């Protein structure tokens, strides 16, 4: 049976979200590393700035996960195929 076009489109979007989640996760890790390095060398301003960047990246990551969860809730077949 042919896949419903809405489900097919949801799968494509889920794949795109998964790519964005991977990229956002990398940004969080990089910001955390920079914050730790700044703290280790005693650069409080950089530590604070990178800490803020980390929080912003985490918020974006949480939003991407929320969108993916909502998509998979609406289209359960997407969850089975991904």
């Amino acid at each position: 049976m042919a896949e419903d076009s809405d489900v097919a489109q949801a799968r494509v979007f889920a794949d795109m979200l998964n790519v964005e989640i991977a990229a956002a996760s990398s940004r969080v890790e990089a910001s955390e590393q920079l914050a730790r390095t700044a703290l280790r060398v005693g650069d409080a301003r950089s530590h604070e700035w990178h800490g803020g960047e980390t929080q912003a990246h985490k918020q974006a990551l949480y939003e991407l996960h929320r969108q993916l969860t909502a998509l998979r809730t609406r289209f359960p077949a997407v969850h089975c195929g991904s």
Side-chain angles (χ1 to χ4, degrees):
M1 180 174 178
E3 186 174 46
D4 183 292
S5 64
D6 288 341
V7 173
Q9 186 175 17
R11 276 190 208 285
V12 169
F13 191 56
D15 290 343
M16 292 169 57
L17 283 170
N18 281 317
V19 169
E20 284 298 315
I21 286 169
S25 294
S26 293
R27 288 190 295 272
V28 168
E29 290 172 11
S31 292
E32 287 175 336
Q33 180 61 41
L34 289 168
R36 283 191 300 272
T37 299
L39 184 62
R40 189 172 58 247
V41 299
D43 187 348
R45 274 183 49 190
S46 290
H47 173 71
E48 185 176 331
W49 190 85
H50 288 297
E53 283 291 299
T54 298
Q55 290 307 311
H57 291 312
K58 283 182 178 181
Q59 282 183 305
L61 179 60
Y62 296 146
E63 176 59 19
L64 290 166
H65 278 288
R66 186 199 64 75
Q67 290 175 9
L68 184 59
T69 298
L71 185 69
R72 288 179 168 168
T73 298
R74 177 140 188 228
F75 298 98
V78 170
H79 185 65
C80 295
S82 297

